[in-house]
Amino acid sequence: MPDITHILEKESLSREDLIRLLSVQNQNERDLIFQKAMEVRAELVGNEIYLRGLIEFSNICEKNCFYCGIRAGNKNVERYCIEEEEVLRCAEYAFENNYGSVVIQSGERTDQEFIEIISNLVQKIKMLSKGKLGITLSCGDQTKETYKRWFDSGAHRYLLRFEASDPELYYKIHPNNKKHFLLNRLNSLQYLKETGYQVGSGMMIGLPGQTIGNLVDDLLMLKTLNVDMVGMGPYIEHKDTPLFESRDQLLPKKERLELSLLTISVLRILMPDINIAAATALDSLVDDGRLQAIRAGANVLMPNLTPLKYRENYFLYENKPYLTEADDLIRKINESDMLNGYKIKLGEWGDSRHFARRVN
Ligand code: SAH
Ligand code: SF4
């Protein structure tokens, strides 16, 4: 078996190299990979952590992804859509506390009313912050025209995970119909890029039936797509979803966490200058999951600013840490011994350095 140190010295990593890296079993080899990710990070993106205040705008969704707690078919969810005034108050909070940017995330809707609401929100957030708050959208598959409309309104980053790049696995976790086609997602990522957005994508880690080969292909897909940002995190089961039936195939929590952290480090080595978010789902596995992700190579944190009364209804997966206040999370980061040397960078958009450098 090839030596890990030798692989980590290479200029470019092959599929086999990546499989070897994601398959390490002993702590020694794991530490070598973490160490390398830390070096790469220090050299190319620095030790700053950028904030995006997360606003979970609405849990109304037209789709039926088999893994997600707010899928249209789940009747045990009280649906909400936050009023404009309340969203603006969240944005104001982010602005006053110098977060630098916000993310508006939502269940997927494609009707005209929704398109208008998001467009207005983006414009008003820009206005209230005198153009200073950066805005990321994560509102699912839309048309080219909608992406352009929201971009022209002032959004400049868009997050759209492909979730699983292997069609066979993808259709085990999504219905195989027009609303959910994988090709739509991939086309959307292309449109977003053409429109001028900084583009983020990613996958879930530890899905039932997912192999290390699948995960490596996901990493290679991120590289081929030449994304600027990645949001990837562990899959967490939810009892009101069809995928819950496959829970006996899941890795135990500790191993799922380890695989997620390892994947972050390997991605940092593979795409050194991108932004990598510490996914909230990590905290469903262990209290300090997001902190561990930062140490492993992530450089973006999304403290939740959604008003408390809505949070329990934006329950994508079980054990989602919906009570963690943004302030508490930031305090935890600042006070953590584990994150000595890393610091939250306030007041900046914290754009991906990769975006500034990329030509296509
Ligand atoms: N509707 C939009 C954005 C909201 S969902 C979209 O789908 O793009 C945001 C992310 O939550 C999804 O991309 C998915 O990867 C993640 N998610 C949903 N259910 C999950 C689960 N059970 N475990 C882990 N992540 C999940
Ligand atoms: Fe809707 Fe997104 Fe959940 Fe799929 S993952 S059901 S699109 S909110």
Side-chain angles (χ1 to χ4, degrees):
M1 222 191 272
D3 173 43
I4 292 286
T5 319
H6 170 68
I7 293 177
L8 293 175
E9 280 166 1
K10 287 187 176 184
E11 278 287 309
S12 77
L13 298 170
S14 68
R15 187 171 188 277
E16 286 65 39
D17 293 333
L18 291 167
I19 287 187
R20 172 77 177 95
L21 293 180
L22 283 191
S23 310
V24 295
Q25 294 297 343
N26 70 60
Q27 197 53 43
N28 239 348
E29 291 186 331
R30 203 179 282 280
D31 287 345
L32 287 172
I33 297 172
F34 281 172
Q35 191 58 42
K36 176 74 180 182
M38 266 194 244
E39 283 167 29
V40 167
R41 173 193 170 141
E43 196 180 325
L44 278 127
V45 293
N47 285 342
E48 281 90 21
I49 303 163
Y50 296 103
L51 299 181
R52 283 91 178 86
L54 174 64
I55 306 168
E56 295 162 331
F57 169 64
S58 170
N59 65 356
I60 302 173
C61 187
E62 295 170 356
K63 283 196 171 174
N64 256 316
C65 306
F66 293 152
Y67 43 85
C68 178
I70 63 168
R71 63 198 300 273
N74 184 5
K75 301 296 173 223
N76 300 331
V77 181
E78 196 183 315
R79 304 285 166 173
Y80 72 82
C81 183
I82 309 181
E83 290 294 326
E84 180 182 288
E85 265 314 300
E86 230 173 337
V87 176
L88 296 182
R89 276 208 297 278
C90 298
E92 221 156 50
Y93 180 90
F95 182 51
E96 281 161 8
N97 286 277
N98 239 344
Y99 277 28
S101 48
V102 289
V103 181
I104 300 179
Q105 195 182 72
S106 178
E108 218 168 294
R109 274 174 60 185
T110 47
D111 56 282
Q112 203 51 39
E113 188 193 358
F114 181 75
I115 296 167
E116 303 278 334
I117 294 176
I118 297 293
S119 184
N120 282 333
L121 282 175
V122 170
Q123 286 175 23
K124 291 194 173 157
I125 292 173
K126 277 284 163 194
M127 248 161 12
L128 74 83
S129 67
K130 302 180 187 64
K132 289 198 177 122
L133 269 182
I135 303 176
T136 306
L137 294 178
S138 174
C139 300
D141 282 317
Q142 302 290 340
T143 62
K144 230 180 193 172
E145 291 69 36
T146 303
Y147 291 139
K148 171 93 172 66
R149 170 108 194 257
W150 291 346
F151 185 79
D152 291 341
S153 299
H156 82 294
R157 298 188 282 235
Y158 204 102
L159 273 177
L160 188 71
R161 291 182 177 180
F162 51 72
E163 316 290 359
S165 62
D166 173 51
E168 202 176 311
L169 180 58
Y170 182 90
Y171 289 111
K172 275 188 192 151
I173 64 168
H174 297 96
N176 192 344
N177 62 30
K178 212 168 134 206
K179 247 194 189 330
H180 298 82
F181 283 160
L182 173 59
L183 199 59
N184 292 351
R185 287 244 139 174
L186 299 176
N187 285 338
S188 276
L189 289 165
Q190 197 50 43
Y191 299 152
L192 286 163
K193 207 180 246 189
E194 285 165 15
T195 309
Y197 283 96
Q198 293 177 40
V199 178
S201 195
M203 64 285 192
M204 280 177 285
I205 299 166
L207 284 162
Q210 185 184 51
T211 63
I212 292 295
N214 288 147
L215 260 186
V216 165
D217 289 336
D218 290 341
L219 290 176
L220 291 170
M221 175 63 95
L222 292 168
K223 179 101 177 153
T224 305
L225 290 168
N226 200 12
V227 293
D228 305 300
M229 338 178 267
V230 170
M232 58 184 188
Y235 161 69
I236 313 284
E237 58 274 36
H238 185 300
K239 66 174 173 30
D240 293 332
T241 63
L243 211 58
F244 193 64
E245 277 172 28
S246 310
R247 63 192 178 284
D248 55 341
Q249 296 172 35
L250 295 177
L251 285 174
K253 286 191 169 176
K254 183 167 176 288
E255 286 168 41
R256 231 182 303 165
L257 174 72
E258 277 174 0
L259 182 60
S260 302
L261 296 172
L262 188 63
T263 310
I264 290 175
S265 294
V266 172
L267 176 65
R268 174 57 72 205
I269 298 167
L270 185 69
M271 300 186 74
D273 60 356
I274 61 169
N275 276 348
I276 303 178
T280 312
L282 288 158
D283 282 13
S284 299
L285 296 174
V286 63
D287 275 357
D288 63 353
R290 280 184 281 183
L291 273 63
Q292 293 197 42
I294 287 169
R295 203 178 44 168
N299 66 330
V300 167
L301 190 72
M302 294 162 50
N304 198 344
L305 295 182
T306 311
L308 267 181
K309 63 176 184 247
Y310 300 110
R311 288 195 202 175
E312 61 179 325
N313 289 317
Y314 201 84
F315 212 52
L316 303 176
Y317 41 82
E318 308 217 319
N319 206 16
K320 187 167 175 268
Y322 65 95
L323 286 177
T324 313
E325 284 295 351
D327 286 351
D328 294 337
L329 178 67
I330 292 170
R331 197 171 317 116
K332 211 160 121 183
I333 301 270
N334 285 334
E335 290 171 0
S336 161
D337 290 337
M338 182 169 79
L339 293 181
N340 244 337
Y342 294 93
K343 53 179 186 312
I344 292 178
K345 185 83 182 164
L346 292 174
E348 283 191 24
W349 286 5
D351 282 343
S352 146
R353 303 216 181 156
H354 186 75
F355 179 73
R357 290 180 189 136
R358 86 168 147 83
V359 284
N360 69 338

